[in-house]
Amino acid sequence: MTSLGGFAQQQARRFGDTPLFFSGDEVVSYRGYDERTDRLAGGLARLGLRQGDRMAVLLPNGLPILEAYMGAAKVGAASVPLNPMFTPREIEYVVNNSRAKVMMASPREAERVQAIRDRLPSLAHVVVAGEAVAGTLPYSQVASAAPLEVTAPVDGDDVAMIAYTSGTTGHPKGAMLTHAGLLDNAAAVVEAVGFRGADRSLCILPLFHVFAIAFDYLQMMTVGASSVIVERFDAGVALRLIERHRATVLVGVPTMFIYILRHPDRQRHDLSSLRIGDTGGGPVPTALKTEYERDIGMVLLESYGLTEASPVVTIERPGLTRREGACGLTLPGMETKVVDAKGQEVPPGELGEMLVRGPNVMKGYFEMPEATTRTIVDGWLHTGDLMRKNADGHVYMVDRLKHMIICGGYNIYPKEIENVLHDHPAVLECAVVGVPDEDKGEIPKACIVLREATQATEAEIKQFCRESLAAYKVPRVVEFLTSLPKTATGKIRKGEL
């Protein structure tokens, strides 16, 4: 099947009453999910959502967010996931940039959206999953409509999701992921890793991120497996649910695996059901993989990917010899190569920029043709990541050409923080860099030069940032300097900082 809607229908026929999602005390089967999303699609169509439109999704983990993605897909509209941690300023930018017509939101987020509704001209309806909010529509009403009579004639090359990535210019870009790209990527990971119908994943990742959408949703659905949805990550809750549901698959960023392993109650829970874990989104200590295999009996695989690739590019294979520091082999059906500054492929083992080609590569950035042209050249996605690839095909992540910071699995671009810092009246110059952190992998540090005859404290700078940035983007460390190191051309030497 080339569309998500067709995929849901096909899997409903194959797996029927097999459980697909566990959420709290609710269990939804493959057939139930298909029927529920048919009704939601019918309700969205009656709101005026049409093929080619965009629907913003501002929901926590739970059944509504997973139904929203599929409901929009069946109409032929593209979902636009938003991080619930976004500030009103960030929500406003993404909604207006995508020109979203409908928004699905939780009561808390809906109230925040209603407060800025006059600044969101494209938004015709806000649908709330939960307690009523003035000026909005209840999710229960929209989701109980008559099923969509005619499924939109969606092609695999149509856009299923526009996932916004923080931009190096300070403005996020919407990566247009296609139906076929998402499904092909899920199938490739299933083939490489060996997921099976008896598997049950514990979804501890946020479902607004394509990492969770890939592993805990589409990959499990591909093989007839199930997912246990956790509203938010808590190591103690994760331990209890692994034991209760006999989870076999656990996917998360390194920080999550560290917190679970170090939790004081770990020894009180039976984790023997776990067989495969996957981690990425930051430096993965070799000792962490060793501890999980030795103490729990789970193989912890390392993978590499990016939103623009739908998202997985490489992953370690169970049963093969591990390569220390490697993030696996290229997925089936994809091509990767490492090139120098001139675009020429480098010899095995040498450093260069990673390029990716395959059906998983995004269609482009939403209404940003120049950025798309710079990023996708002759079908090759330029990742901006500095890597090396050995003769045996194993890939090693070395650095980020774009200066991205990965803090506990969240992607942070320094320029976005720097743009906010420059608005502070006391800041003359600033630079944000990532510094190592034992738990988070990296944390953002702001290096600031103050204007003459002005003063500012670390607490004041952090509070200023909190007003415009999601909490995870706020600098954890602030250092005041008399000057910033620069090159002869005046560029700040971030490596020295």
Side-chain angles (χ1 to χ4, degrees):
M1 290 292 177
T2 55
S3 74
L4 288 173
F7 174 66
Q9 292 164 1
Q10 171 189 282
Q11 300 306 78
R13 288 192 296 268
R14 289 180 65 191
F15 301 113
D17 294 328
T18 300
L20 173 56
F21 299 124
F22 295 83
S23 181
D25 295 327
E26 195 166 4
V27 182
V28 177
S29 69
Y30 278 79
R31 182 181 291 111
Y33 181 63
D34 186 42
E35 293 172 350
R36 289 165 70 124
T37 52
D38 273 350
R39 289 194 295 272
L40 178 59
L44 293 173
R46 287 167 181 78
L47 292 183
L49 194 68
R50 299 286 182 262
Q51 187 163 9
D53 287 340
R54 274 77 56 197
M55 183 177 82
V57 181
L58 187 55
L59 289 166
N61 281 14
L63 291 174
I65 190 172
L66 292 164
E67 292 173 357
Y69 292 150
M70 188 59 73
K74 287 183 174 182
V75 173
S79 297
V80 182
L82 284 85
N83 186 341
M85 294 174 67
F86 276 177
T87 63
R89 165 176 156 171
E90 292 165 312
I91 293 170
E92 180 182 346
Y93 175 81
V94 173
V95 171
N96 287 340
N97 185 260
S98 65
R99 299 196 307 282
K101 183 183 286 188
V102 175
M103 174 181 282
M104 292 279 191
S106 68
R108 174 182 175 274
E109 306 311 328
E111 288 180 351
R112 297 202 297 144
V113 170
Q114 289 299 89
I116 59 169
R117 190 76 178 268
D118 61 341
R119 306 206 297 268
L120 308 173
S122 68
L123 200 59
H125 302 284
V126 175
V127 180
V128 179
E131 296 178 8
V133 174
T136 69
L137 296 169
Y139 179 85
S140 58
Q141 175 185 318
V142 178
S144 61
L148 187 68
E149 294 179 3
V150 180
T151 302
V154 180
D155 184 77
D157 194 44
D158 289 343
V159 178
M161 183 169 289
I162 301 178
Y164 276 77
T165 63
S166 296
T168 53
T169 61
H171 291 298
K173 300 188 292 291
M176 297 185 290
L177 308 182
T178 67
H179 289 255
L182 288 164
L183 291 173
D184 184 272
N185 192 257
V189 174
V190 165
E191 179 183 342
V193 175
F195 290 136
R196 52 202 188 207
D199 277 325
R200 182 167 294 176
S201 73
L202 182 70
C203 181
I204 55 176
L205 287 164
L207 281 163
F208 64 76
H209 198 288
V210 72
F211 191 3
I213 293 167
F215 278 89
D216 293 302
Y217 175 27
L218 296 178
Q219 290 169 26
M220 293 297 101
M221 201 169 168
T222 296
V223 293
S226 59
S227 291
V228 180
I229 310 303
V230 182
E231 183 172 351
R232 64 180 63 85
F233 174 70
D234 177 280
V237 171
L239 288 168
R240 292 194 294 273
L241 290 177
I242 291 169
E243 182 175 39
R244 174 184 168 188
H245 288 278
R246 306 305 294 155
T248 63
V249 176
L250 189 62
V251 181
V253 297
T255 302
M256 292 174 169
F257 283 98
I258 291 170
Y259 286 171
I260 289 172
L261 198 65
R262 302 283 181 261
H263 195 278
D265 292 339
R266 179 173 69 85
Q267 298 291 349
R268 301 176 187 174
H269 295 280
D270 179 8
L271 308 182
S272 61
S273 60
L274 289 172
R275 70 181 194 92
I276 291 180
D278 175 81
T279 190
V284 183
T286 301
L288 186 64
K289 298 180 184 179
T290 302
E291 282 188 76
Y292 265 91
E293 190 158 2
R294 183 192 66 211
D295 298 347
I296 296 175
M298 183 188 79
V299 177
L300 181 56
L301 308 175
E302 185 172 352
S303 61
Y304 160 76
L306 64 164
T307 298
E308 291 88 341
S310 301
V312 191
V313 176
T314 70
I315 194 167
E316 291 185 290
R317 307 298 202 265
L320 294 185
T321 303
R322 314 294 285 272
R323 302 289 195 278
E324 185 171 351
C327 49
L329 300 163
T330 304
L331 285 177
M334 291 182 207
E335 298 174 80
T336 59
K337 64 179 179 179
V338 179
V339 303
D340 59 22
K342 297 180 180 179
Q344 299 299 310
E345 193 165 2
V346 301
E350 291 195 12
L351 294 180
E353 183 184 7
M354 170 66 82
L355 271 58
V356 181
R357 184 165 67 179
N360 58 305
V361 171
M362 68 172 180
K363 201 168 186 175
Y365 293 116
F366 182 69
E367 295 190 349
M368 292 185 178
E370 293 182 2
T372 299
T373 301
R374 289 193 304 269
T375 306
I376 303 176
V377 182
D378 296 327
W380 287 95
L381 171 66
H382 288 243
T383 67
D385 290 324
L386 186 64
M387 308 183 83
R388 59 187 174 90
K389 184 178 179 181
N390 283 358
D392 61 7
H394 284 84
V395 174
Y396 298 77
M397 180 78 177
V398 179
D399 203 348
R400 296 170 182 84
L401 298 180
K402 299 175 183 176
H403 303 297
M404 184 173 70
I405 301 166
I406 299 184
C407 178
Y410 287 107
N411 294 348
I412 301 172
Y413 283 86
K415 185 68 175 176
E416 186 179 9
I417 305 174
E418 290 162 2
N419 285 347
V420 172
L421 288 172
H422 277 298
D423 289 338
H424 193 287
V427 173
L428 175 65
E429 289 185 301
C430 67
V432 174
V433 295
V435 295
D437 180 80
E438 184 175 350
D439 289 335
K440 300 289 186 181
E442 295 175 292
I443 54 174
K445 171 184 175 181
C447 303
I448 295 173
V449 177
L450 295 176
R451 296 180 184 275
E452 190 173 352
T454 64
Q455 292 182 335
T457 65
E458 181 173 14
E460 179 186 338
I461 293 294
K462 290 180 178 179
Q463 180 56 38
F464 182 80
C465 289
R466 287 189 191 99
E467 294 171 4
S468 297
L469 296 168
Y472 67 88
K473 299 178 186 177
V474 174
R476 306 296 174 86
V477 181
V478 177
E479 183 176 0
F480 296 98
L481 302 172
T482 56
S483 64
L484 298 179
K486 298 183 179 69
T487 65
T489 58
K491 292 182 179 180
I492 297 171
R493 296 201 297 267
K494 287 194 172 183
E496 185 172 327
L497 288 174

